[in-house]
Amino acid sequence: DAGVIQSPRHEVTEMGQEVTLRCKPISGHNSLFWYRQTMMRGLELLIYFNNNVPIDDSGMPEDRFSAKMPNASFSTLKIQPSEPRDSAVYFCASSLAKGAYEQYFGPGTRLTVT
Amino acid sequence: KNEVEQSPQNLTAQEGEFITINCSYSVGISALHWLQQHPGGGIVSLFMLSSGKKKHGRLIATINIQEKHSSLHITASHPRDSAVYICAVRTNNAGNMLTFGGGTRLMVKP
């Protein structure tokens, strides 16, 4: 398996633009997580899905952020409109849903909003 | 106070030294993870444990549930071990969500 796939790997955009980050989890995994990592706050969970259903989105910073998982093999994290403070590395991870299973992280998307 | 505290925040060692990184948590957990993040940014899961001790090569992870404490040990450290090591806990009744420590930045000098 190719592991968790994220695209793009790097994104530079201007303030106010819409940004869409994409994630393909490992085949067979039914939990998917979106994380954000910044120097100031470290790694933070934004939202997590079980079987394509959002379970907890309490980490989503504000209404400008939205996430969808239309099927078991694809998820998006959208920021609209983007702001410079959204600049961070966004990681997607997947795992099996039941039991204490390991999470497998994607390579991350480094977002810079100017 | 953060739910997951790591120490030290930064650590510099000479090649060959034995290294210990500590993680303390204040909540009930179902599992604890140790993650490694290399300078390139990728995150790799090293261990997941809920009791006792696990070993993989030169890495050893231990956990004491009663004391709410875990340690990650690296024996015979090498410059390629230089990375950020992150402790994360899966809290009880939190499903598969992880709460992260602030990380320990390790540099091993040749």
Side-chain angles (χ1 to χ4, degrees):
Chain A
D1 199 311
V4 176
I5 298 172
Q6 289 187 247
S7 64
R9 294 293 306 277
H10 301 272
E11 176 81 30
V12 180
T13 191
E14 291 184 347
M15 182 173 67
Q17 297 296 307
E18 178 180 294
V19 175
T20 300
L21 311 182
R22 297 173 176 79
C23 176
K24 180 179 177 359
I26 291 173
S27 178
H29 283 187
N30 42 14
S31 285
L32 183 139
F33 308 81
W34 281 103
Y35 296 101
R36 178 172 67 176
Q37 185 179 40
T38 61
M39 289 293 292
M40 290 296 293
R41 300 171 66 93
L43 269 167
E44 302 173 285
L45 175 70
L46 298 177
I47 185 171
Y48 110 82
F49 294 85
N50 248 14
N51 296 316
N52 313 339
V53 176
I55 301 301
D56 191 310
D57 65 354
S58 57
M60 296 284 264
E62 42 195 282
D63 292 344
R64 298 184 297 105
F65 285 69
S66 62
K68 293 182 181 179
M69 192 163 185
N71 57 61
S73 59
F74 183 66
S75 177
T76 59
L77 177 68
K78 186 176 291 187
I79 308 172
Q80 166 64 21
S82 58
E83 297 183 2
R85 60 193 168 120
D86 303 329
S87 298
V89 181
Y90 292 82
F91 288 98
C92 175
S94 71
S95 77
L96 293 171
K98 293 192 175 180
Y101 287 104
E102 292 188 51
Q103 292 188 18
Y104 294 82
F105 285 75
T109 295
R110 183 174 296 276
L111 173 66
T112 303
V113 183
T114 60
Chain B
K1 188 177 188 301
N2 292 335
E3 291 180 330
V4 183
E5 297 274 359
Q6 286 186 236
S7 64
Q9 288 186 325
N10 294 283
L11 180 58
T12 300
Q14 287 298 130
E15 184 173 357
E17 285 184 1
F18 180 82
I19 288 163
T20 296
I21 299 170
N22 296 298
C23 176
S24 296
Y25 51 92
S26 57
V27 294
I29 69 168
S30 57
L32 182 143
H33 299 245
W34 281 102
L35 309 171
Q36 180 192 55
Q37 186 171 28
H38 274 286
I43 296 175
V44 175
S45 177
L46 296 175
F47 295 104
M48 182 184 65
L49 64 167
S50 54
S51 65
K53 173 180 171 179
K54 287 190 176 181
K55 184 176 188 294
H56 181 72
R58 295 179 295 105
L59 301 178
I60 303 167
T62 64
I63 188 169
N64 185 317
I65 297 295
Q66 286 72 30
E67 294 185 4
K68 291 186 166 60
H69 181 268
S70 175
S71 292
L72 176 68
H73 305 285
I74 305 175
T75 61
S77 60
H78 190 276
R80 65 174 175 266
D81 297 326
S82 299
V84 175
Y85 293 84
I86 302 169
C87 172
V89 301
R90 188 195 311 270
T91 56
N92 288 334
N93 303 318
N96 279 343
M97 295 192 298
L98 294 179
T99 302
F100 296 89
T104 295
R105 185 175 298 276
L106 170 66
M107 177 179 293
V108 181
K109 294 184 175 180

